Amino acid sequence: RALDEDRQRSQNRHLREELGVGKLIGRSKVMDELRETIAKVARADSNVLITGESGTGKELVARAIHYQGRRAGEAYVAVNCGALVGNLLESELFGHVRGAFTGAEADKKGLFVAADRGTIFLDEVGELPLDLQPKLLRVLQENEVKAVGSTKAQRVDARVIAATNRTLETLVAEQQFREDLYYRLNVITIRVPPLRERPQDIPVLALHFAAKAAEKTQRTHVDISQQAYEWLIKQPWRGNVRELENAVERAVVLASGDILGVDDFEIRPSPSAALDSAQETELISIDELERRHIMRVLEACEGQKTKASAILGINRTTLWKKLRQYGVE
C-alpha cells in the first residue's frame, strides 16, 4: 500500500509540472494545436468566432487571445448575450442617455465604449435578438456606437471576439441570425474541442481542479488514485470541463481521505438513462418529456441553474423561462 501511494504521488507530481502551461490545460495534440492557433490569432486584430459545446472553455480561449495580443494592457470586457433581453441588452452594449426609457435616470456608458482599445467578448452571441443584430453589425462596419436615445455616434476601437455553442449557419438558414452579421463575426473561427476528444487531458485537469478545491476548502493536500483517473477517463462528461470541475470539487469536499478514489466520485444515472426508463413504462408528449428531463437535471444539480443549463446545453435565460412555465421559481 505504501509503494502504491508513493507511485501515485509521483504520478501526481508529474501531472502538476504540466500545469505550468497556464489556464489552457492539456497535453493532447488538439490542445497543442489550439494553443498554436491562439498565438497566431492574438497577433492580429481580426474578429474571432469561437465555437464549441457548453462547458468546453470558450471564454478561456477568448481571454488567452486578448492577453497574448497587443491589447493585453487594455480592458477585457465580457457580456453574456443570453442573460439580458430587450432594452437591457442594448443599453449594456451601447449605453443610454438620461430619459431614454423608464428607469434611465442618468447617462450610462456602454460596454463597447468601456472596451475601447481593448477587447469585448460576446458570449452566446447566437442568442442576440434579431432587432439588435443590425445595430451590432453597424458597430462592426463603422467602428462607432450610438447610445439608446442619443442622436450622436461615438467612435470605438474594440476587438470583437464572439462565442456560441449553437450552429450559426443553421440559425442563418432559419432566418434567426443575419447572414451579413455572421460573416462579419466569422472572420476567423476557432473550435474548442469537447472533453471526449481529449481524454488524455482528464488526469491533469482533474488534479488541477482538485488543487483548486482543496485551497477553497482549506485542505492542505489532495491527490487522486490511479483507479479514479481511469474511471474519470471513461465517463462521457456531457457538460465537458465544467462538469468535470464540479465533480472533482464535490469529491474533494466530501472525501474523508487525502487520496480520492472512485468511491469519492458520486455516480449518478445519466439523464438519458432516466428518460429511457420513463419511456419504457408510458408514452408521453414531447413537452412532458422535456419537462421531466429538465427537472431531473435540475434535481441532479441540486438546484444550481447555471450548472443545469450547462448540462442541458441551453442558456440560463431559457432555463428560467422554462421553469416559470412549469411553475417553478
Side-chain angles (χ1 to χ4, degrees), residues 3-15:
L3 289 172
D4 286 341
E5 289 184 3
D6 183 66
R7 281 193 295 269
Q8 188 59 51
R9 289 194 170 93
S10 176
Q11 179 185 6
N12 285 326
R13 281 195 298 272
H14 174 70
L15 291 174

Side-chain angles (χ1 to χ4, degrees), residues 53-294:
E53 297 176 9
S54 181
T56 51
K58 295 185 288 296
E59 183 168 2
L60 286 180
V61 173
R63 287 181 178 274
I65 292 171
H66 171 74
Y67 288 107
Q68 291 182 36
R70 68 175 182 83
R71 297 174 183 261
E74 305 296 338
Y76 171 86
V77 178
V79 56
N80 188 330
C81 298
L84 298 171
V85 294
N87 285 339
L88 287 175
L89 180 56
E90 184 175 3
S91 172
E92 284 294 312
L93 288 175
F94 311 125
H96 65 251
V97 298
R98 181 181 179 183
F101 50 85
T102 303
E105 299 178 354
D107 291 355
K108 178 180 179 179
K109 181 173 67 174
L111 294 178
F112 266 96
V113 174
D116 189 31
R117 294 183 295 179
T119 300
I120 185 166
F121 174 58
L122 303 177
D123 197 11
E124 297 188 20
V125 72
E127 305 295 332
L128 193 70
L130 272 171
D131 61 333
L132 280 185
Q133 293 179 22
K135 298 176 182 179
L136 176 58
L137 180 64
R138 177 180 175 82
V139 175
L140 299 180
Q141 290 175 331
E142 308 296 334
N143 292 323
E144 61 182 28
V145 297
K146 188 180 292 185
V148 179
S150 175
T151 58
K152 296 180 180 179
Q154 181 177 353
R155 298 286 295 178
V156 292
D157 173 25
R159 183 180 193 176
V160 176
I161 302 177
T164 179
N165 59 9
R166 305 180 67 182
T167 305
L168 292 188
E169 294 93 332
T170 301
L171 295 181
V172 170
E174 295 173 350
Q175 297 185 340
Q176 297 181 36
F177 201 86
R178 291 180 61 108
E179 186 175 12
D180 46 4
L181 176 58
Y182 167 68
Y183 287 118
R184 280 283 177 179
L185 292 171
N186 191 28
V187 177
I188 298 173
T189 301
I190 296 179
R191 175 181 176 269
V192 185
L195 198 53
R196 63 180 174 274
E197 292 183 9
R198 51 187 188 108
Q200 58 269 55
D201 291 337
I202 290 176
V204 67
L205 282 165
L207 190 61
H208 170 66
F209 295 140
K212 280 180 58 179
E215 184 177 355
K216 286 170 62 176
T217 56
Q218 298 183 341
R219 296 187 62 169
T220 56
H221 183 76
V222 174
D223 278 324
I224 302 174
S225 72
Q226 181 61 37
Q227 292 81 2
Y229 281 134
E230 293 171 358
W231 182 86
L232 290 169
I233 289 172
K234 293 177 182 177
Q235 303 313 301
W237 302 118
R238 295 180 180 88
N240 291 294
V241 178
R242 188 184 296 125
E243 184 186 0
L244 173 64
E245 180 174 12
N246 290 340
V248 172
E249 181 174 348
R250 182 183 182 88
V252 170
V253 170
L254 298 179
S256 55
D258 291 334
I259 299 181
L260 303 180
V262 175
D263 292 341
D264 293 310
F265 293 93
E266 185 174 52
I267 304 174
R268 291 178 173 141
S270 68
S272 59
L275 287 174
D276 290 342
S277 176
Q279 287 176 307
E280 289 176 2
T281 57
E282 59 178 319
L283 297 175
I284 57 177
S285 68
I286 292 177
D287 288 340
E288 177 63 14
L289 191 65
E290 178 188 67
R291 185 192 71 80
R292 293 187 185 187
H293 179 48
I294 289 175

Side-chain angles (χ1 to χ4, degrees), residues 29-41:
K29 181 180 178 182
V30 291
M31 286 303 292
D32 288 340
E33 293 173 350
L34 179 60
R35 283 188 284 266
E36 290 176 7
T37 300
I38 288 171
K40 293 175 183 177
V41 171

Side-chain angles (χ1 to χ4, degrees), residues 80-85 124 126-128 165-166 176 290 294 305-306 308-310 312-326 328:
N80 188 330
C81 298
L84 298 171
V85 294
E124 297 188 20
E127 305 295 332
L128 193 70
N165 59 9
R166 305 180 67 182
Q176 297 181 36
E290 178 188 67
I294 289 175
K305 296 182 178 65
T306 300
S309 62
L312 290 164
I314 60 178
N315 64 67
R316 286 168 293 182
T317 303
T318 301
L319 178 58
W320 290 331
K321 289 178 181 177
K322 293 287 185 184
L323 293 177
R324 283 197 297 269
Q325 179 183 332
Y326 304 148
V328 179

